[in-house]
């Protein structure tokens, strides 16, 4: 492939990696990871609410990695409540999983920026070390993509398996019991998915530029290299 086309491909990949780093950094600080509704089960049972009457007992909830908000609805109108994961909810959430999600988000941002830098370096400069060349680009893209996948798996397990929304809804509730009525992942979660796909796409762009995947060289070329080393 001509050098000019390779520069364009590396520039595109670098810009995409940088955009993913900014998107992930922005997603970390929002409360738009999960949105849903919670049903005040105790209140609904007390009045035997059915049909449209249940709407008076269905509140809203949304949260991210650090803070969120829920609207408590028990038949007397909505009462908003702001909460923070640290330190308010630290005792009721799976803290190890939650901290791991934040950690992998940070790693994703760092390696997305590193990948963007090396993509642009390879576009406008001459690689002079292995990690500056295509092997390094595969490495940064793979790490970033893997971190994105781990973030989605861990956060999904925290929400679905550990019933995070229900634990938050029942936080400091003595007389009322709340049950998750509906929940869905919001914009920030899907940003992580898009970033993972972008880093996978970047690896394909490197291949399109004419570089082989790591460890895909033929045995003959490896034998010739070893023989040449022995000569010196």
């Amino acid at each position: 492939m001509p050098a000019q086309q390779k520069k364009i491909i590396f520039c595109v990949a670098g810009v995409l990696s940088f955009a993913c780093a900014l998107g992930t950094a922005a997603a970390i600080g929002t409360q738009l990871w999960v949105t849903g509704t919670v049903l005040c089960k105790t209140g609904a049972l007390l009045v035997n609410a059915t049909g449209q009457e249940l709407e008076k007992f269905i509140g809203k909830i949304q949260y991210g990695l650090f803070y969120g908000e829920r609207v408590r609805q028990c038949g007397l109108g909505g009462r908003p409540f702001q909460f923070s994961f640290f330190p308010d909810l630290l005792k009721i959430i799976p803290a190890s999983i939650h901290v791991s999600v934040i950690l992998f988000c940070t790693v994703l941002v760092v390696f997305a920026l590193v990948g963007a830098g090396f993509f642009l370096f390879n576009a406008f400069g001459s690689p002079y070390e292995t990690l500056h060349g295509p092997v390094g680009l595969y490495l940064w893209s793979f790490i970033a993509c893997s971190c994105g996948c781990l973030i989605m798996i861990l956060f999904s397990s925290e929400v679905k398996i550990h019933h995070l929304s229900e634990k938050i809804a029942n936080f400091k509730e003595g007389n009322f019991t709340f049950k998750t009525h509906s929940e869905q992942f919001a914009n920030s979660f899907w940003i992580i998915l898009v970033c993972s796909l972008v880093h996978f796409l970047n690896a394909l762009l490197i291949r399109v530029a004419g570089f082989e995947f790591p460890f895909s060289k033929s045995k003959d070329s490896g034998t010739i290299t070893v023989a040449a080393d022995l000569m010196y």
Side-chain angles (χ1 to χ4, degrees):
M1 179 177 287
Q4 190 65 27
Q5 293 183 18
K6 289 183 180 180
K7 286 185 178 181
I8 294 174
I9 290 176
F10 283 144
C11 284
V12 171
V15 170
L16 289 175
S17 293
F18 185 72
C20 284
L22 293 181
T24 304
I28 292 173
T30 69
Q31 60 179 18
L32 296 176
W33 283 71
V34 175
T35 59
T37 57
V38 289
L39 172 66
C40 181
K41 187 178 179 181
T42 305
L45 289 175
L46 284 174
V47 299
N48 197 21
T50 57
Q52 293 183 349
E53 294 177 349
L54 279 176
E55 294 180 2
K56 297 180 180 179
F57 298 92
I58 296 177
K60 297 180 180 179
I61 186 172
Q62 65 176 18
Y63 55 90
L65 300 180
F66 293 98
Y67 63 97
E69 180 182 12
R70 66 183 174 99
V71 179
R72 187 176 181 272
Q73 192 96 335
C74 288
L76 300 175
R79 297 181 181 180
F81 173 73
Q82 300 280 344
F83 59 86
S84 173
F85 282 93
F86 304 99
D88 296 344
L89 303 176
L90 199 57
K91 293 182 180 179
I92 66 169
I93 64 172
S96 59
I97 298 178
H98 198 78
V99 172
S100 297
V101 171
I102 297 173
L103 177 63
F104 281 119
C105 283
T106 305
V107 174
L108 176 57
V109 173
V110 171
F111 278 96
L113 289 173
V114 170
F118 281 117
F119 272 117
L120 295 176
F121 177 83
N122 279 272
F124 298 105
S126 298
Y128 56 89
E129 291 180 3
T130 302
L131 293 181
H132 288 188
V135 175
L137 297 180
Y138 283 122
L139 178 63
W140 312 134
S141 299
F142 173 77
I143 293 175
C145 183
S146 300
C147 286
C149 293
L150 287 172
I151 291 168
M152 291 186 293
I153 292 171
L154 291 174
F155 190 74
S156 298
S157 67
E158 186 180 9
V159 174
K160 299 297 183 180
I161 298 177
H162 294 275
H163 307 290
L164 184 60
S165 299
E166 205 160 289
K167 290 181 179 179
I168 294 172
N170 289 284
F171 176 62
K172 289 186 177 180
E173 290 290 343
N175 300 323
F176 291 91
T177 302
F178 290 84
K179 185 178 180 181
T180 303
H181 187 261
S182 67
E183 65 181 358
Q184 54 276 335
F185 295 109
N187 297 341
S188 295
F189 180 84
W190 299 119
I191 287 176
I192 302 299
L193 173 62
V194 171
C195 288
S196 300
L197 294 176
V198 165
H199 290 298
F200 180 75
L201 175 63
N202 282 348
L204 295 180
L205 288 177
I206 302 169
R207 185 66 185 90
V208 170
F211 296 108
E212 294 182 350
F213 289 111
F215 313 113
S216 63
K217 294 181 179 180
S218 63
K219 295 182 179 180
D220 294 337
S221 62
T223 304
I224 293 172
T225 304
V226 172
D229 291 339
L230 290 175
M231 291 178 64
Y232 295 96

